[in-house]
């Protein structure tokens, strides 16, 4: 148990300090913004879908706590190259996992390293920090980029 906790803490620390895919994709096809008022975490998710409906590229920008940033970093690394269907499956598995609705054994095969976020169940107040990026990705996949999307200014919509 303490090994799992150590692994969890180290991974969060590493991804928070050095987040993967932390940049803007100028020609993203799908984007969405998310906000977690409980903690103040803010995110913009950028997705570039290929003609075959797979995630050709994905990135995020934003600011917030370490759990939020690490979760977004892990998410972008994990779903890059996956089809829409696979990605939707991973999103729902991850959300069920952090809410404590799935068994560990079935998760390891499908979620791999993402299972370190199971530890978040013990901190209910932080669950929204861990899920923000995933809800925002789900939103981005549903809506195509609009012409007047906000990237550099504060969103006031
Ligand atoms: Zn947070």
């Amino acid at each position: 148990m303490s090994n799992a906790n150590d692994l969890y803490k180290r991974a969060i620390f590493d991804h928070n300090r050095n987040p993967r895919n932390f940049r803007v994709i100028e020609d993203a096809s799908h984007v969405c913004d998310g906000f977690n008022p409980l903690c103040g975490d803010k995110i913009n998710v950028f997705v570039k879908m290929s003609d075959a409906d797979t995630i050709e590229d994905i990135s995020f920008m934003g600011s917030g706590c370490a759990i939020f940033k690490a979760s977004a970093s892990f998410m972008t690394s994990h779903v890059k190259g996956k089809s829409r269907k696979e990605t939707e499956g991973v999103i729902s598995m991850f959300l069920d996992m952090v809410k404590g609705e799935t068994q560990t054994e079935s998760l390891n095969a499908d979620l791999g390293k993402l299972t370190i976020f199971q530890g978040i169940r013990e901190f209910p107040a932080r669950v929204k920090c861990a899920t923000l990026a995933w809800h925002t990705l789900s939103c981005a996949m549903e809506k195509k980029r609009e012409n007047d999307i906000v990237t550099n200014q504060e969103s006031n919509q």
Side-chain angles (χ1 to χ4, degrees):
M1 199 55 187
S2 68
N3 281 343
N5 279 336
D6 279 358
L7 183 70
Y8 168 76
K9 280 186 203 141
R10 249 182 287 143
I12 299 278
F13 184 77
D14 172 41
H15 278 253
N16 178 49
R17 281 191 61 167
N18 181 23
R20 320 303 195 257
N21 307 302
F22 190 68
R23 60 193 156 85
V24 172
I25 297 173
E26 297 291 350
D27 60 344
S29 57
H30 295 67
V31 294
C32 193
D33 302 334
F35 178 54
N36 169 19
L38 292 179
C39 178
D41 309 313
K42 285 160 85 171
I43 187 169
N44 314 106
V45 170
F46 304 87
V47 181
K48 191 175 175 186
M49 298 300 288
S50 74
D51 293 340
D53 220 20
T54 61
I55 297 184
E56 189 177 322
D57 200 6
I58 176 168
S59 69
F60 76 103
M61 293 294 287
S63 59
C65 68
I67 291 169
F68 149 70
K69 205 179 256 185
S71 179
S73 173
F74 267 97
M75 177 188 81
T76 56
S77 306
H78 192 83
V79 302
K80 197 185 278 190
K82 286 196 168 20
S83 70
R84 174 182 289 272
K85 200 166 196 167
E86 288 169 329
T87 303
E88 285 166 355
V90 172
I91 292 171
S92 72
M93 272 189 283
F94 183 89
L95 295 177
D96 285 350
M97 175 184 74
V98 295
K99 285 183 277 178
E101 288 168 7
T102 22
Q103 295 302 310
T104 311
E105 305 83 69
S106 62
L107 289 170
N108 288 321
D110 295 314
L111 293 180
K113 282 191 232 162
L114 292 171
T115 52
I116 59 161
F117 285 95
Q118 277 179 100
I120 205 76
R121 291 176 193 175
E122 290 160 39
F123 309 97
R126 310 308 298 277
V127 166
K128 284 201 158 58
C129 301
T131 58
L132 177 65
W134 296 82
H135 285 300
T136 310
L137 172 59
S138 186
C139 157
M141 306 254 309
E142 277 164 27
K143 69 177 202 185
K144 291 218 165 188
R145 180 179 197 137
E146 293 150 27
N147 291 327
D148 59 346
I149 203 74
V150 179
T151 46
N152 290 319
Q153 65 209 70
E154 288 294 313
S155 173
N156 51 14
Q157 293 154 1

